[in-house]
Protein backbone atom coordinates (compact mmCIF):
# COMPACT_ATOMS: atom_id res chain seq x y z
CA UNK A 1 0.00 0.00 0.00
CA UNK A 2 1.31 3.44 -0.91
CA UNK A 3 0.34 6.98 0.03
CA UNK A 4 1.96 9.57 -2.19
CA UNK A 5 1.54 13.13 -3.38
CA UNK A 6 -0.31 13.75 -6.64
CA UNK A 7 2.91 14.69 -8.43
CA UNK A 8 4.86 11.63 -7.27
CA UNK A 9 2.06 9.08 -7.48
CA UNK A 10 1.71 8.83 -11.31
CA UNK A 11 5.47 8.35 -11.66
CA UNK A 12 5.53 5.57 -9.10
CA UNK A 13 2.45 3.87 -10.58
CA UNK A 14 4.04 3.99 -14.04
CA UNK A 15 7.28 2.49 -12.74
CA UNK A 16 5.36 -0.25 -10.94
CA UNK A 17 3.38 -1.07 -14.08
CA UNK A 18 6.47 -1.28 -16.28
CA UNK A 19 8.73 -3.14 -13.85
CA UNK A 20 6.22 -5.74 -12.62
CA UNK A 21 4.47 -7.21 -15.67
CA UNK A 22 2.85 -10.06 -13.71
CA UNK A 23 1.35 -7.87 -11.00
CA UNK A 24 -1.94 -6.01 -10.65
CA UNK A 25 -2.32 -2.37 -9.67
CA UNK A 26 -5.45 -0.99 -8.00
CA UNK A 27 -5.97 2.72 -7.31
CA UNK A 28 -8.54 4.03 -4.82
CA UNK A 29 -9.18 7.51 -6.21
CA UNK A 30 -11.52 9.74 -4.17
CA UNK A 31 -10.90 12.86 -6.27
CA UNK A 32 -10.94 11.30 -9.75
CA UNK A 33 -7.35 12.18 -10.63
CA UNK A 34 -5.91 8.87 -11.88
CA UNK A 35 -8.54 7.44 -14.20
CA UNK A 36 -6.81 8.73 -17.36
CA UNK A 37 -3.55 7.13 -16.24
CA UNK A 38 -5.27 3.75 -15.91
CA UNK A 39 -6.87 4.14 -19.33
CA UNK A 40 -3.53 5.08 -20.89
CA UNK A 41 -2.17 1.68 -19.87
CA UNK A 42 -5.24 -0.16 -21.13
CA UNK A 43 -6.70 -0.49 -17.67
CA UNK A 44 -10.13 -0.04 -16.18
CA UNK A 45 -11.44 3.31 -14.96
CA UNK A 46 -14.49 2.67 -12.79
CA UNK A 47 -16.56 5.51 -11.34
CA UNK A 48 -18.97 4.95 -8.48
CA UNK A 49 -21.88 7.24 -7.77
CA UNK A 50 -25.67 7.31 -7.49
CA UNK A 51 -26.08 7.62 -11.29
CA UNK A 52 -22.99 5.75 -12.49
CA UNK A 53 -24.66 2.39 -13.15
CA UNK A 54 -21.58 0.78 -11.59
CA UNK A 55 -22.16 -1.73 -8.81
CA UNK A 56 -19.91 -3.34 -6.24
CA UNK A 57 -21.21 -6.10 -4.00
CA UNK A 58 -19.14 -6.24 -0.77
CA UNK A 59 -20.43 -9.79 -0.18
CA UNK A 60 -19.12 -11.05 -3.52
CA UNK A 61 -16.98 -14.20 -3.42
CA UNK A 62 -15.76 -14.33 -7.02
CA UNK A 63 -12.06 -13.90 -6.27
CA UNK A 64 -12.00 -15.92 -3.03
CA UNK A 65 -13.63 -19.07 -4.41
CA UNK A 66 -10.45 -20.97 -3.62
CA UNK A 67 -10.78 -20.32 0.11
CA UNK A 68 -12.58 -22.68 2.48
CA UNK A 69 -16.11 -21.74 3.49
CA UNK A 70 -15.14 -20.91 7.09
CA UNK A 71 -12.40 -18.63 5.76
CA UNK A 72 -14.81 -16.95 3.34
CA UNK A 73 -17.33 -16.32 6.09
CA UNK A 74 -14.67 -14.98 8.45
CA UNK A 75 -13.52 -12.53 5.78
CA UNK A 76 -17.04 -11.34 5.03
CA UNK A 77 -18.00 -10.98 8.68
CA UNK A 78 -14.94 -8.81 9.14
CA UNK A 79 -15.89 -6.78 6.05
CA UNK A 80 -19.47 -6.18 7.21
CA UNK A 81 -18.23 -5.16 10.66
CA UNK A 82 -16.01 -2.58 8.95
CA UNK A 83 -18.91 -1.41 6.76
CA UNK A 84 -21.10 -0.99 9.81
CA UNK A 85 -18.38 1.04 11.52
CA UNK A 86 -18.08 3.15 8.36
CA UNK A 87 -21.83 3.79 8.40
CA UNK A 88 -21.29 5.31 11.86
CA UNK A 89 -18.35 7.46 10.74
CA UNK A 90 -20.21 10.70 11.41
CA UNK A 91 -20.20 9.93 15.13
CA UNK A 92 -17.77 8.62 17.74
CA UNK A 93 -19.67 5.44 18.54
CA UNK A 94 -18.21 1.95 18.50
CA UNK A 95 -19.81 -1.41 17.89
CA UNK A 96 -20.92 -3.21 21.02
CA UNK A 97 -20.26 -6.90 21.60
CA UNK A 98 -23.95 -7.60 21.05
CA UNK A 99 -23.94 -5.75 17.72
CA UNK A 100 -20.86 -7.68 16.61
CA UNK A 101 -22.53 -10.97 17.50
CA UNK A 102 -25.73 -10.04 15.69
CA UNK A 103 -23.81 -8.96 12.59
CA UNK A 104 -21.81 -12.19 12.53
CA UNK A 105 -24.97 -14.27 12.90
CA UNK A 106 -26.75 -12.41 10.10
CA UNK A 107 -23.84 -12.61 7.67
CA UNK A 108 -23.76 -16.38 8.12
CA UNK A 109 -27.55 -16.58 7.79
CA UNK A 110 -27.47 -14.58 4.53
CA UNK A 111 -24.89 -16.90 2.99
CA UNK A 112 -26.69 -20.02 4.20
CA UNK A 113 -30.01 -18.92 2.68
CA UNK A 114 -28.44 -17.78 -0.58
CA UNK A 115 -26.36 -20.95 -0.88
CA UNK A 116 -29.62 -22.91 -0.84
CA UNK A 117 -30.89 -20.71 -3.68
CA UNK A 118 -27.65 -20.96 -5.65
CA UNK A 119 -26.82 -17.26 -5.61
CA UNK A 120 -24.43 -14.79 -4.00
CA UNK A 121 -25.93 -12.69 -1.19
CA UNK A 122 -26.24 -8.93 -1.38
CA UNK A 123 -26.64 -6.31 1.34
CA UNK A 124 -30.41 -6.78 1.01
CA UNK A 125 -30.09 -10.37 2.25
CA UNK A 126 -28.00 -9.27 5.22
CA UNK A 127 -30.47 -6.44 5.94
CA UNK A 128 -33.42 -8.85 5.80
CA UNK A 129 -31.66 -11.21 8.20
CA UNK A 130 -31.09 -8.33 10.62
CA UNK A 131 -34.77 -7.41 10.57
CA UNK A 132 -35.72 -10.95 11.57
CA UNK A 133 -33.61 -10.94 14.73
CA UNK A 134 -35.24 -10.44 18.15
CA UNK A 135 -32.59 -8.11 19.60
CA UNK A 136 -33.18 -4.35 19.58
CA UNK A 137 -29.54 -3.95 18.55
CA UNK A 138 -30.33 -5.76 15.29
CA UNK A 139 -32.91 -3.11 14.44
CA UNK A 140 -30.37 -0.37 15.13
CA UNK A 141 -27.81 -1.99 12.81
CA UNK A 142 -30.51 -2.52 10.17
CA UNK A 143 -31.35 1.17 10.26
CA UNK A 144 -27.69 2.03 9.67
CA UNK A 145 -27.69 -0.09 6.53
CA UNK A 146 -31.13 0.93 5.28
CA UNK A 147 -29.93 3.86 3.15
CA UNK A 148 -27.40 1.58 1.41
CA UNK A 149 -30.09 -0.98 0.58
CA UNK A 150 -32.89 1.19 -0.79
CA UNK A 151 -33.13 4.37 -2.83
CA UNK A 152 -30.46 6.51 -4.47
CA UNK A 153 -27.55 5.16 -2.40
CA UNK A 154 -28.15 1.48 -3.17
CA UNK A 155 -25.27 1.03 -5.66
CA UNK A 156 -23.67 -1.39 -3.19
CA UNK A 157 -26.83 -3.53 -3.07
CA UNK A 158 -26.38 -5.16 -6.48
CA UNK A 159 -24.24 -7.93 -7.87
CA UNK A 160 -20.88 -6.54 -8.95
CA UNK A 161 -20.63 -5.52 -12.58
CA UNK A 162 -16.93 -4.65 -12.55
CA UNK A 163 -13.92 -6.93 -12.60
CA UNK A 164 -10.23 -6.68 -11.91
CA UNK A 165 -9.16 -8.63 -14.97
CA UNK A 166 -6.92 -5.84 -16.26
CA UNK A 167 -3.47 -5.12 -14.92
CA UNK A 168 -4.43 -1.69 -13.62
CA UNK A 169 -7.82 -0.63 -12.26
CA UNK A 170 -8.81 2.79 -10.95
CA UNK A 171 -11.80 2.99 -8.61
CA UNK A 172 -13.08 6.56 -8.64
CA UNK A 173 -15.22 7.69 -5.72
CA UNK A 174 -15.56 11.37 -6.61
CA UNK A 175 -19.32 11.15 -7.24
CA UNK A 176 -20.11 9.53 -3.89
CA UNK A 177 -21.78 11.85 -1.35
CA UNK A 178 -19.42 12.91 1.42
CA UNK A 179 -21.39 11.07 4.10
CA UNK A 180 -21.05 7.87 2.07
CA UNK A 181 -17.35 8.14 1.25
CA UNK A 182 -16.07 6.04 4.16
CA UNK A 183 -18.56 3.27 3.35
CA UNK A 184 -17.51 3.37 -0.32
CA UNK A 185 -13.81 3.15 0.51
CA UNK A 186 -14.36 0.12 2.76
CA UNK A 187 -16.49 -1.62 0.12
CA UNK A 188 -13.82 -0.97 -2.51
CA UNK A 189 -11.06 -2.23 -0.22
CA UNK A 190 -13.01 -5.45 0.35
CA UNK A 191 -13.08 -6.04 -3.41
CA UNK A 192 -9.33 -5.38 -3.51
CA UNK A 193 -8.74 -7.84 -0.67
CA UNK A 194 -10.63 -10.48 -2.66
CA UNK A 195 -8.34 -9.78 -5.60
CA UNK A 196 -5.26 -10.03 -3.39
CA UNK A 197 -6.23 -13.59 -2.44
CA UNK A 198 -6.73 -14.46 -6.11
CA UNK A 199 -3.39 -12.98 -7.13
CA UNK A 200 -1.57 -14.66 -4.27
CA UNK A 201 -2.86 -18.06 -5.38
CA UNK A 202 -1.52 -17.50 -8.89
CA UNK A 203 1.83 -16.17 -7.59
CA UNK A 204 1.20 -12.51 -8.36
CA UNK A 205 1.36 -9.35 -6.28
CA UNK A 206 -1.33 -6.70 -5.85
CA UNK A 207 -0.17 -3.09 -5.62
CA UNK A 208 -2.68 -0.84 -3.87
CA UNK A 209 -2.51 2.94 -4.07
CA UNK A 210 -4.89 4.99 -1.94
CA UNK A 211 -4.99 8.68 -2.75
CA UNK A 212 -5.78 11.28 -0.07
CA UNK A 213 -5.46 8.85 2.84
Amino acid sequence: MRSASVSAAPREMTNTFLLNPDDDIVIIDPAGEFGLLAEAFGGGNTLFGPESGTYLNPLDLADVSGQTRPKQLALKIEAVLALCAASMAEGNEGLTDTERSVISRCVEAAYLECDAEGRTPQLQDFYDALRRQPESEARVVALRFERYVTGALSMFNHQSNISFDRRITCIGLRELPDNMRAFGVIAALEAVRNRMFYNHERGGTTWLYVDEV
Side-chain angles (χ1 to χ4, degrees), residues 141-203:
V141 175
L143 283 173
R144 291 177 187 147
F145 276 90
E146 186 175 74
R147 60 178 170 159
Y148 302 108
V149 173
T150 62
L153 302 183
S154 63
M155 72 283 296
F156 297 103
N157 186 35
H158 298 266
Q159 297 298 350
S160 299
N161 63 359
I162 69 165
S163 65
F164 294 86
D165 55 356
R166 302 185 186 184
R167 282 198 51 217
I168 181 169
T169 302
C170 181
I171 302 175
L173 305 176
R174 182 183 60 193
E175 301 301 322
L176 283 180
D178 288 344
N179 64 1
M180 196 179 179
R181 191 67 59 83
F183 191 96
V185 169
I186 295 297
L189 288 174
E190 177 59 15
V192 174
R193 179 166 68 167
N194 285 359
R195 191 64 181 179
M196 289 172 64
F197 276 101
Y198 172 83
N199 285 335
H200 178 73
E201 289 175 0
R202 69 176 182 84

Side-chain angles (χ1 to χ4, degrees), residues 1 11 24 37 41 53 68 87 99 115 147 171-172 181 184 188:
M1 178 175 173
R11 184 183 308 112
D24 282 356
L37 176 68
F41 285 111
T68 65
S87 73
E99 288 174 329
D115 281 350
R147 60 178 170 159
I171 302 175
R181 191 67 59 83

Side-chain angles (χ1 to χ4, degrees), residues 12-212:
E12 181 173 341
M13 293 172 191
T14 299
N15 289 341
T16 300
F17 183 88
L18 296 175
L19 295 174
N20 302 276
D22 296 324
D23 295 349
D24 282 356
I25 299 170
V26 181
I27 308 165
I28 306 295
D29 186 11
E33 297 173 293
F34 299 101
L36 291 178
L37 176 68
E39 291 178 354
F41 285 111
N45 180 17
T46 300
L47 184 65
F48 283 101
E51 299 180 344
S52 68
T54 303
Y55 304 127
L56 183 61
N57 179 13
L59 300 182
D60 187 55
L61 296 171
D63 284 334
V64 291
S65 58
Q67 305 297 314
T68 65
R69 197 55 161 178
K71 179 68 171 180
Q72 290 175 340
L73 287 174
L75 290 170
K76 294 308 174 181
I77 289 170
E78 183 180 16
V80 175
L81 287 170
L83 287 170
C84 191
S87 73
M88 302 157 55
E90 297 88 350
N92 295 316
E93 309 161 81
L95 293 173
T96 66
D97 288 341
T98 300
E99 288 174 329
R100 290 176 180 274
S101 294
V102 167
I103 289 169
S104 299
R105 182 199 312 159
C106 291
V107 170
E108 294 190 28
Y111 277 101
L112 183 63
E113 292 173 9
C114 291
D115 281 350
E117 299 174 5
R119 63 183 181 88
T120 301
Q122 300 173 185
L123 285 183
Q124 181 75 54
D125 300 292
F126 169 67
Y127 174 74
D128 291 343
L130 284 169
R131 297 182 65 194
R132 293 195 296 267
Q133 305 308 307
E135 295 89 353
S136 60
E137 289 86 352
R139 292 190 291 275
V140 172
V141 175
L143 283 173
R144 291 177 187 147
F145 276 90
E146 186 175 74
R147 60 178 170 159
Y148 302 108
V149 173
T150 62
L153 302 183
S154 63
M155 72 283 296
F156 297 103
N157 186 35
H158 298 266
Q159 297 298 350
S160 299
N161 63 359
I162 69 165
S163 65
F164 294 86
D165 55 356
R166 302 185 186 184
R167 282 198 51 217
I168 181 169
T169 302
C170 181
I171 302 175
L173 305 176
R174 182 183 60 193
E175 301 301 322
L176 283 180
D178 288 344
N179 64 1
M180 196 179 179
R181 191 67 59 83
F183 191 96
V185 169
I186 295 297
L189 288 174
E190 177 59 15
V192 174
R193 179 166 68 167
N194 285 359
R195 191 64 181 179
M196 289 172 64
F197 276 101
Y198 172 83
N199 285 335
H200 178 73
E201 289 175 0
R202 69 176 182 84
T205 298
T206 307
W207 297 75
L208 173 62
Y209 293 87
V210 184
D211 189 34
E212 300 187 11

